[in-house]
Amino acid sequence: MKILDTNLWVFGTLGTHDQAETLLDQIESGTVTSAINAYMLQEALEAFDRTPNLSATERDELKTVFFSRLVRMTGLIEAPSSRDASSSLLETRRSATQTHLIATILEIQPKDVPILVLAAKHSEREPTILTNDEDFAELNPSEHNLPTISIEHVE
């Protein structure tokens, strides 16, 4: 199982990262299993809103493409509905005391905690988190009693 960090979902959808595009194709075809949570979904939507050189209409179309593709992904074993995502969810998760505690203990950014928690939820599948964040990729989950989770840096 591969858990993609939000940037890879965004870059793959935008077509700006070859490996991310390939991973999304593999998840869509079911050759790779993955999961995405409401936090990551909202983070992706906000990233699309910050994408330069796109009109409001183009951003809306991009979000529609993103949601439509999620629905078609046969390898996606967990995905929230669009109702599950909201801006307040994103800020609540980032500012929650528990999130900050976990981030402090593991020496990662609070934004990465929900991704790690999603991987832990699927630990029986021995997930690998794929991230383009070098700092997050330095985390060794097995050093924190999470031996079934691994993290790989994607250039």
Side-chain angles (χ1 to χ4, degrees):
M1 175 177 207
K2 307 290 185 193
I3 305 284
L4 283 60
D5 79 357
T6 307
N7 283 342
L8 296 179
W9 286 100
V10 171
F11 299 156
T13 301
L14 291 171
T16 59
H17 189 283
D18 290 340
Q19 189 173 358
E21 283 184 81
T22 299
L23 285 163
L24 294 185
D25 289 343
Q26 291 171 333
I27 296 166
E28 186 170 351
S29 70
T31 58
V32 168
T33 59
S34 190
I36 186 170
N37 59 28
Y39 171 86
M40 295 162 65
L41 181 68
Q42 185 59 41
E43 206 175 36
L45 295 176
E46 290 190 6
F48 293 141
D49 284 338
R50 292 189 309 271
T51 302
N53 304 321
L54 292 179
S55 68
T57 301
E58 290 169 327
R59 285 187 181 109
D60 287 343
E61 289 171 359
L62 186 61
K63 291 175 188 178
T64 299
V65 166
F66 179 67
F67 279 122
S68 298
R69 190 164 193 197
L70 286 178
V71 171
R72 291 191 316 268
M73 289 183 161
T74 58
L76 199 59
I77 61 171
E78 179 179 338
S81 71
S82 59
R83 296 183 305 270
D84 294 334
S86 71
S87 295
S88 62
L89 170 70
L90 190 59
E91 191 52 41
T92 300
R93 287 275 176 92
R94 284 184 178 167
S95 63
T97 302
Q98 300 92 323
T99 299
H100 280 277
L101 176 62
I102 293 169
T104 299
I105 291 169
L106 299 179
E107 298 179 351
I108 61 176
Q109 296 179 51
K111 69 176 184 63
D112 296 325
V113 170
I115 298 167
L116 184 61
V117 169
L118 179 63
K121 181 178 177 182
H122 295 283
S123 62
E124 75 285 353
R125 295 177 180 268
E126 299 186 1
T128 299
I129 297 170
L130 302 177
T131 180
N132 71 331
D133 181 335
E134 290 180 15
D135 292 333
F136 186 31
E138 289 179 10
L139 175 67
N140 183 349
S142 64
E143 291 178 359
H144 301 281
N145 204 28
L146 299 167
T148 61
I149 299 172
S150 60
I151 302 178
E152 292 179 13
H153 183 253
V154 175
E155 295 288 332

